[in-house]
Amino acid sequence: MKPVAEALLYDWPLEDLRASCRSIEPALTIEVWPEIDSTNSELMRRARAGHAAPTLLVAERQTLGRGRSGRVWHADPKRSLTFSIGLTPPLPPEPRAWSGLSLAVGVAVAGALHPEVGLKWPNDLWWRDHKLGGILIETTQVGSQRYAVVGIGLNLRMPLQDAIDPPGVGIDALLPGLDAPGLLLRVAPAVLAGLQRFGREGLGAFLDDWRARDVLAGRAVRLSDGRVGKAIGIDADGALQIEHAGGIERIESASLSVRPLDMASPLGLWP
C-alpha cells in the first residue's frame, strides 16, 4: 500500500523523535502518512511479506482503524493520534512469553501522559470513567521470530461520535494545548522503552504500576457474556480476577469485555 499523495496537516518533529528513539531502538524507521486504512494492518501486511524491520508508522487519518475484537476505532483528523510500532521484542516465540504485553504497553503510555490516567483491563486508558484511548496488539511469525505490532489510538479532544460507550474524553482535559506531534513525542519513546523492558523483565516489572492505575479494582462488574462479580485486580500473569458466589475466576480471554455495573448503559454497548 502506498501513502495517499496529499499534504500533511501537521509539521511532525521527526528529527526530535528520531533522537528520542535512537538510543532505545537504533534501527527504527519512522513514517508519517496523511491517510491509511490502518497502521496495524499495514505493518502486518509488510511482516507477512517478509519485511519485519522496526518501524513506527503514524497516520493522520485512518479509514479502517480497528480496536479490540474487530471494533472500529474512529480517527478524526485534528482530534486523535493513531500510530503503530512494529518490531521483534527480545522474547521467545512461545505465546506464553507474550502474556501481559498489552498491560505493559498500557503502563508505558499512561506513565508518559499523566498521573491521573487509569488503566482498564486489558487494553484501555481511562480518565474518570471516560475512555482516552486504546491499545491493539497483533503478532505474526516471521522466520524463526515473532513480530509484534502495537497499535495506539489516543483522543486529543472529545470524539465527535454521539454513541460512544463509555463516553470519550480528550487528552486536552489533562494536558491542554498538546497537539498530535507533541503527544507522539511524549508517548512513542515511552512505548519503545516499555517494549524493551518487557522483553528483558516480563510482566512482573509492570504489575505494581498497573495495579496502582487499575480502574476496575474493587468495583462490581459485568462481563459481556452476562456474568457479574467483583473485580479484585490482576494476577501475576495479567489475567483479570473476578470474585463471585462460586469463588474467584480468572478471565484471560481478551474477547470478553468488562465494565463497572455502576456504568450501566441504555445503549447496550461495550467498551
Side-chain angles (χ1 to χ4, degrees), residues 178-199:
L178 192 64
D179 61 7
L183 183 56
L184 181 68
L185 198 55
R186 290 178 72 116
V187 172
V191 172
L192 281 170
L195 290 170
Q196 293 292 335
R197 186 183 183 195
F198 183 85

Side-chain angles (χ1 to χ4, degrees), residues 149-178:
V149 176
V150 179
I152 311 286
L154 296 168
N155 298 324
L156 277 167
R157 299 173 182 84
M158 184 176 294
L160 296 174
Q161 290 78 20
D162 293 329
I164 293 178
D165 184 41
V169 68
I171 298 295
D172 61 348
L174 291 165
L175 300 168
L178 192 64

Side-chain angles (χ1 to χ4, degrees), residues 70-240:
R71 299 181 181 92
V72 175
W73 176 268
H74 299 283
D76 299 308
K78 298 281 189 178
R79 305 192 74 87
S80 63
L81 169 67
T82 54
F83 69 95
S84 297
I85 295 175
L87 78 172
T88 305
L91 284 169
E94 293 80 11
R96 181 73 176 177
W98 297 68
S99 175
L101 181 56
S102 66
L103 305 185
V105 172
V107 168
V109 175
L113 292 176
H114 195 280
E116 294 183 16
V117 173
L119 295 167
K120 175 188 168 292
W121 187 89
N123 57 1
D124 285 344
L125 296 110
W126 278 20
W127 180 64
R128 298 182 181 178
D129 284 352
H130 288 62
K131 186 172 179 176
L132 279 167
I135 298 159
L136 176 65
I137 295 179
E138 299 176 282
T139 69
T140 188
Q141 195 72 20
V142 180
S144 62
Q145 296 181 308
R146 198 74 183 168
Y147 188 76
V149 176
V150 179
I152 311 286
L154 296 168
N155 298 324
L156 277 167
R157 299 173 182 84
M158 184 176 294
L160 296 174
Q161 290 78 20
D162 293 329
I164 293 178
D165 184 41
V169 68
I171 298 295
D172 61 348
L174 291 165
L175 300 168
L178 192 64
D179 61 7
L183 183 56
L184 181 68
L185 198 55
R186 290 178 72 116
V187 172
V191 172
L192 281 170
L195 290 170
Q196 293 292 335
R197 186 183 183 195
F198 183 85
R200 295 190 308 268
E201 304 175 43
L203 179 60
F206 299 86
L207 286 175
D208 287 346
D209 287 338
W210 205 97
R211 287 165 176 157
R213 295 179 183 267
D214 187 350
V215 301
L216 297 179
R219 299 172 75 173
V221 297
R222 182 189 302 275
L223 300 175
S224 53
D225 62 6
R227 287 177 291 168
V228 297
K230 179 181 177 181
I232 57 172
I234 60 171
D235 66 15
D237 294 322
L240 178 66

